[in-house]
């Protein structure tokens, strides 16, 4: 038995040391990834990522060394089964923490691709603008985007639990490559996913569910069926509301591009899905748009969607459900617009997301002015520029090809200006005239992350 224990100890010690060699290959992104300066993530995002990975590597190295010390000490008398049990737990934790590296690597490695890197950096700028609301009611975390396959976008929200434990220092938005074809698809997906982050920071879903239940609870404390479904779908409805508030009709046109599916999927109600089924989701979008940015375009868009997917052929029960949902949609939109977020009783969501500059007429006026003076669109807030471009395409004033080219130029311009602004800020900080005599602890640009409790649920939210 002693020989078996000695062999097991030697084998597992070698495996543990091999983990250390694997860990040594995990280098900071700053010394292993090449990219254009304009393609780099924001300084706050880079600092947050590197600090998280440094902490993870330090923890793993400590765990492996503690295991080796145990093997050389009291563990030498342990049974091979106990040695293996402890090593298996160590390796499990090791792989979990390395999963964080793989997660962040996806967001950084693509930036080494020349054109893609510039697009992603421009998308980061647009995402930061999408998260910005009047009055800055929260400290916005850095947002980093990357491209992936598949039809739907998703977000891993900042300050939620990472696979290996700890909080994510950034919000990571996954955008499907097939959405990189113009302003409609890209901006709609981006603002919807950022809306999940913003809604979480404002605590909108819990407060809206409370108000919804207080308003429409029926006899016996039960919600009528349409409102019970709205309550279940609120996370996605609120994210759509956020996107429509930022983009106007561009958001709903982009949504149509995602949910234009075979008919059986458009009408399929999944009782476990938090997404409204596509047919009603578009109609909810038109109701929200009419409440935020009133214009005949919303009724026309709803009629077009119903013509594309007529209810003919559905049974009477299904048609009755659709009628009850569409009938309640304007009341739901009114509830959203008048809602006051917890801690912000001084302002309604309508005031946060219904600025005059997002009205259809103002957006068309901006686009027309930018045809004569292109710099007007270049210098506009990114979501406003996307909204104007999408409104113009919806009105038939710009072709899909021209819209796609203009959107790409905007992304490149935002990436360049962001990089130059960062360089200028660093130059000012390093100037001898303003350099502090005593070095201070580095703080990420935009401030640190507040302390909070980490939600246990999966933090990817899908479009």
């Amino acid at each position: 038995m002693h020989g078996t224990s000695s062999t097991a100890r030697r084998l597992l010690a070698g495996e543990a040391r091999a983990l250390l060699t694997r860990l040594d290959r995990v280098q900071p992104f700053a010394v292993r990834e090449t990219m254009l300066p304009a393609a780099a993530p924001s300084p706050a995002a880079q600092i947050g990522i590197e600090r998280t990975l440094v902490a993870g590597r330090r923890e793993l190295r400590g765990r492996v060394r503690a295991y080796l010390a145990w093997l050389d000490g009291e563990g030498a008398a342990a049974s091979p089964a106990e040695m293996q049990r402890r090593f298996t737990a160590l390796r499990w934790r090791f792989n979990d923490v390395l999963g964080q590296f793989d997660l962040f690597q996806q967001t950084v490695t693509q930036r080494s691709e020349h054109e893609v890197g510039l697009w992603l950096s421009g998308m980061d700028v647009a995402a930061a603008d999408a998260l910005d609301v009047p009055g800055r009611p929260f400290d916005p975390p850095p947002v980093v985007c990357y491209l992936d396959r598949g039809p739907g976008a998703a977000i891993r929200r900042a300050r939620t639990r990472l696979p290996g434990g700890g909080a994510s220092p950034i919000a990571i938005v996954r955008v499907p490559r097939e959405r990189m074809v113009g302003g409609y698809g890209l901006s709609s997906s981006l603002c919807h996913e950022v809306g999940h982050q913003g809604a979480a920071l404002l605590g909108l879903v819990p407060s809206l569910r409370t108000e919804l239940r207080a308003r429409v609870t029926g006899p016996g404390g039960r919600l009528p069926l349409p409102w019970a479904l709205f309550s279940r779908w609120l996370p996605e409805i609120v994210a759509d509301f956020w996107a429509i508030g930022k983009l106007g009709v561009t958001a709903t046109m982009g949504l149509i591009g995602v949910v234009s599916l075979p008919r059986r999927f458009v009408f399929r109600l999944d009782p476990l899905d938090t997404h409204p089924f596509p047919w009603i989701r578009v109609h909810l979008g038109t109701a929200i748009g009419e409440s935020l940015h009133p214009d005949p375009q919303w009724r026309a868009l709803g009629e077009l969607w119903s013509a594309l997917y007529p209810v003919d052929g559905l049974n009477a029960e299904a048609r009755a459900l659709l009628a009850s949902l569409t009938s309640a949609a304007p009341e739901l939109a009114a509830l959203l617009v008048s809602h006051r977020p917890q801690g912000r009783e001084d302002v309604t969501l309508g005031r946060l997301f219904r600025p005059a500059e997002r009205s259809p007429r103002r957006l068309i006026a901006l686009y027309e002015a930018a045809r004569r003076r292109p710099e007007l669109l270049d210098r506009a807030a990114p979501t406003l520029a996307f909204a104007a471009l999408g409104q113009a395409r919806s009105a038939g004033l710009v072709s899909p090809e021209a819209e796609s080219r203009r959107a790409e130029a905007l992304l490149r311009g935002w990436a360049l200006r962001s990089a130059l602004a960062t360089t200028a800020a660093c130059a000012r900080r390093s100037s001898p005239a303003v350099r502090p005599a005593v070095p201070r602890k580095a703080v990420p640009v935009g401030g640190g992350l507040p302390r909070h409790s980490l939600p246990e649920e999966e933090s990817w939210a899908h479009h």
Side-chain angles (χ1 to χ4, degrees):
M1 181 64 180
H2 176 73
T4 302
S5 295
S6 178
T7 301
R9 186 161 64 93
R10 186 167 55 254
L11 169 66
L12 295 174
E15 291 296 312
R17 288 198 297 271
L19 293 181
L20 287 177
T21 63
R22 169 68 179 91
L23 191 59
D24 288 339
R25 297 193 189 102
V26 180
Q27 298 295 317
F29 290 120
V31 299
R32 66 188 303 269
E33 295 290 352
T34 59
M35 65 188 74
L36 295 172
S42 69
Q46 293 182 64
I47 292 170
I49 291 172
E50 295 293 5
R51 284 180 173 173
T52 299
L53 296 180
V54 165
R57 291 194 297 270
R58 183 184 299 119
E59 177 207 341
L60 291 180
R61 193 168 280 109
R63 285 175 177 264
V64 173
R65 288 172 176 167
Y67 177 72
L68 290 171
W70 177 79
L71 283 179
D72 287 337
E74 61 182 88
S79 67
E82 177 61 16
M83 296 177 189
Q84 176 68 12
R85 185 190 69 80
R86 293 195 179 210
F87 176 75
T88 301
L90 171 65
R91 187 172 58 184
W92 191 283
R93 176 62 180 164
F94 188 92
N95 289 332
D96 273 349
V97 174
L98 283 192
Q100 296 179 4
F101 176 81
D102 294 334
L103 171 66
F104 292 127
Q105 187 174 35
Q106 289 179 295
T107 70
V108 175
T109 301
Q110 290 180 352
R111 312 239 166 187
S112 299
E113 302 176 45
H114 177 72
E115 291 295 337
V116 170
L118 291 177
W119 293 342
L120 292 175
S121 183
M123 289 161 59
D124 293 348
V125 176
D129 179 57
L131 192 54
D132 188 42
V133 294
R136 300 295 293 267
F138 49 75
D139 181 22
V143 183
V144 177
C145 303
Y146 78 100
L147 301 180
D148 204 355
R149 303 179 202 173
I155 184 171
R156 180 178 288 277
R157 300 192 311 273
R159 305 164 190 171
T160 52
R161 191 175 299 278
L162 289 168
S168 175
I170 62 174
I172 304 173
V173 177
R174 183 178 71 207
V175 178
R177 290 182 181 272
E178 62 96 11
R179 304 297 280 163
M180 298 294 293
V181 294
Y184 266 1
L186 171 61
S187 60
S188 174
S189 292
L190 197 61
C191 287
H192 174 91
E193 300 308 331
V194 169
H196 281 295
Q197 178 71 73
L201 293 170
L202 285 174
L204 291 183
V205 173
S207 62
L208 277 165
R209 279 186 172 142
T210 299
E211 183 176 350
L212 183 153
R213 183 166 291 278
R215 281 198 188 190
V216 298
T217 297
R222 297 174 63 88
L223 287 172
L225 179 57
W227 292 93
L229 291 171
F230 291 158
S231 180
R232 180 194 305 160
W233 297 333
L234 263 178
E236 299 301 323
I237 291 173
V238 170
D240 282 347
F241 177 93
W242 196 288
I244 294 168
K246 287 288 184 177
L247 298 173
V249 76
T250 300
T252 306
M253 295 300 296
L255 172 65
I256 287 175
V258 173
V259 299
S260 292
L261 302 168
R263 180 180 172 86
R264 66 181 182 276
F265 296 111
V266 171
F267 288 101
R268 187 172 69 180
L269 173 60
D270 183 347
L272 300 179
D273 196 351
T274 59
H275 295 71
F277 57 93
W279 191 89
I280 193 59
R281 186 172 176 184
V282 172
H283 282 293
L284 289 174
T286 61
I288 291 170
E290 181 63 35
S291 292
L292 282 175
H293 314 293
D295 189 89
Q297 68 177 346
W298 298 105
R299 180 181 294 274
L301 186 56
E303 291 173 352
L304 173 62
W305 182 245
S306 292
L308 294 173
Y309 292 98
V311 300
D312 302 343
L314 299 178
N315 59 42
E317 182 181 5
R319 290 199 302 272
L321 175 61
L322 297 182
S324 65
L325 288 168
T326 52
S327 177
E331 187 177 351
L332 173 66
L335 183 151
L336 291 167
V337 168
S338 64
H339 182 69
R340 297 179 184 273
Q342 290 182 347
R344 290 299 310 274
E345 286 74 14
D346 60 319
V347 66
T348 64
L349 292 183
R351 286 188 60 189
L352 290 178
F353 290 99
R354 190 165 51 194
E357 64 185 5
R358 255 66 171 189
S359 71
R361 290 185 180 182
R362 293 283 292 273
L363 293 175
I364 290 295
L366 173 59
Y367 175 77
E368 292 287 5
R371 294 176 70 175
R372 300 184 298 273
R373 298 177 55 196
E375 70 273 11
L376 293 178
L377 210 59
D378 296 334
R379 295 173 181 173
T383 55
L384 178 59
F386 272 139
L389 197 57
Q391 185 72 55
R393 180 178 167 188
S394 177
L397 299 177
V398 61
S399 69
E401 295 84 1
E403 183 222 19
S404 183
R405 290 192 297 269
R406 192 68 174 94
E408 180 180 341
L410 287 171
L411 290 173
R412 292 170 61 90
W414 297 332
L416 176 60
R417 283 192 290 276
S418 176
L420 293 177
T422 298
T423 301
C426 292
R428 287 194 298 270
R429 291 186 177 187
S430 63
S431 171
V434 296
R435 184 180 298 151
V438 179
R440 295 179 294 180
K441 183 178 180 180
V443 178
V445 175
L449 300 180
R451 297 180 182 274
H452 64 282
S453 59
L454 299 180
E456 295 292 339
E457 73 275 7
E458 174 57 51
S459 54
W460 282 107
H462 298 271
H463 190 169

